[in-house]
Amino acid sequence: LAKQRRRGQRPDVLNLQFEMTPEQVATLEVFTKETLAGVSRFNTKHPRKQTNIEVRIVPQDNGKLFDLSMIQLNLYSVTLQFEVIP
């Protein structure tokens, strides 16, 4: 049975930013492309409340699941957005 939300109830959105090594970025790429196939939901801990939540990654304006920018050699800033499934 598919989860449905009540009319007018907007899902919560979490905007996240992480600093990652090249190895961590590679793991994220595999997770988003192969494990999730870009659309699947998954469970994680809420970053502030530390409760279990079900989320999906919301594609950015450019269609990518996350944005990546180099901070310095071997360190990247990764931004992504989670939609919390009620």
Side-chain angles (χ1 to χ4, degrees), residues 16-38 42 57 64-69 76-82:
L16 305 169
Q17 182 174 353
F18 301 97
E19 290 183 0
M20 295 185 177
T21 65
E23 294 80 14
Q24 291 170 318
V25 172
T27 299
L28 179 62
E29 288 174 337
V30 169
F31 179 70
T32 57
K33 291 178 183 173
E34 296 178 18
T35 305
L36 296 180
F42 61 98
I57 300 175
K64 295 179 183 177
L65 294 177
F66 57 89
D67 285 324
L68 183 67
S69 60
Y76 294 87
S77 173
V78 178
T79 56
L80 64 158
Q81 191 174 66
F82 285 174

Side-chain angles (χ1 to χ4, degrees), residues 47-63:
R48 182 175 48 84
K49 300 176 185 176
Q50 293 301 303
T51 56
N52 290 325
I53 54 174
E54 184 179 17
V55 299
R56 75 176 187 90
I57 300 175
V58 179
Q60 305 296 307
D61 292 335
N62 56 15

Side-chain angles (χ1 to χ4, degrees), residues 2-11 41 83-86:
K3 288 188 177 186
Q4 296 181 356
R5 60 179 185 258
R6 288 183 242 144
R7 281 183 189 233
Q9 184 182 5
R10 295 178 54 118
R41 300 170 175 179
E83 178 183 75
V84 180
I85 309 302

